[in-house]
Amino acid sequence: IEKVIEPRAGGSVQELTFRNVPRARALGLEFELRKNLGFLGSFFEPFQLGMNASLIRSEVDIDPAELELLRSVVPDRSAERPLYGQSPYAVNGELAYINDTLGIKASLSYNVFGERIAVVGGINPDIYEQPRGLLNFSISKSLGNRWSARIRANNLLNPEYKFTQDYEGEEYIYQLFTVGRTYSLSFTYNIK
């Protein structure tokens, strides 16, 4: 299911709709690494490093009627495009601290994804969501047998959410905004 600009909508306001594509192809690789850092010395024993990376190639055949219209504007337009919402890569990393003796767990995580189609343009240029890095932090502390507390800080880098369209090699900003950082404090009681 893809979000698409409705080409038959009239007026100056773009109308978005959803449609199914009959078929898509995707091929990918995923790599994962997890390592305890205790080999650096006893101080590093509670630390763990984790990372995973995915590489994906995806294709969707453009509807023949849509392709004919596209080629009337761009004659050498490919008959395929990337799958809606599918990034060509995604990278996630985490540094974790786990100390069961003190009842503390903390993690700092970072993730980034590659440029992906946010809205299929139809006869207009596709709208792409540009990469942005997200950095999150979380720490929790056990407060006895049943209680625990957690502090979270999300979106610490507060990157721009940038959506663009490319026309004749020129990038145009479709939408640009930030969502801000979020912080939370929570308490949990385990009823066992």
Side-chain angles (χ1 to χ4, degrees):
I1 298 177
E2 299 183 318
K3 187 188 296 184
V4 181
I5 296 172
E6 175 56 63
R8 295 175 295 250
S12 60
V13 177
Q14 288 184 338
E15 183 179 317
L16 300 178
T17 188
F18 292 89
R19 73 171 181 211
N20 290 323
V21 292
R23 185 173 80 127
R25 296 167 296 285
L27 178 64
L29 295 170
E30 183 173 2
F31 305 93
E32 186 165 344
L33 169 72
R34 296 211 178 274
K35 183 69 176 162
N36 180 283
L37 300 181
F39 69 93
L40 296 172
S42 60
F43 174 81
F44 293 99
E45 189 62 40
F47 291 92
Q48 297 177 15
L49 187 62
M51 186 193 108
N52 76 358
S54 300
L55 301 170
I56 302 105
R57 180 162 194 258
S58 66
E59 296 186 336
V60 171
D61 294 327
I62 297 174
D63 177 75
E66 182 182 323
L67 183 60
E68 184 179 335
L69 287 171
L70 286 168
R71 286 187 172 162
S72 70
V73 178
V74 183
D76 61 345
R77 173 66 192 243
S78 171
E80 297 91 24
R81 64 168 168 70
L83 177 63
Y84 161 83
Q86 180 62 65
S87 296
Y89 68 86
V91 178
N92 301 291
E94 179 184 49
L95 177 62
Y97 174 84
I98 302 170
N99 187 321
D100 292 329
T101 305
L102 297 176
I104 295 175
K105 293 180 183 178
S107 71
L108 182 67
S109 63
Y110 178 81
N111 66 56
V112 65
F113 59 84
E115 177 182 73
R116 58 189 176 198
I117 295 177
V119 179
V120 176
I123 60 171
N124 301 301
D126 295 328
I127 299 168
Y128 279 86
E129 182 178 8
Q130 296 302 314
R132 65 180 171 277
L134 298 174
L135 183 67
N136 300 320
F137 176 75
S138 172
I139 185 166
S140 65
K141 170 77 171 103
S142 173
L143 305 172
N145 288 338
R146 294 183 177 235
W147 284 95
S148 64
R150 174 180 286 170
I151 297 172
R152 288 185 180 173
N154 291 329
N155 199 34
L156 291 171
L157 301 175
N158 194 23
E160 291 181 333
Y161 283 61
K162 184 178 179 183
F163 298 83
T164 63
Q165 288 178 294
D166 184 74
Y167 181 69
E168 295 184 351
E170 188 80 24
E171 181 181 89
Y172 294 90
I173 295 177
Y174 180 83
Q175 192 174 33
L176 182 66
F177 59 92
T178 58
V179 296
R181 296 169 185 90
T182 59
Y183 304 94
S184 66
L185 170 64
S186 62
F187 293 92
T188 302
Y189 180 77
N190 186 350
I191 57 175
K192 289 188 181 178

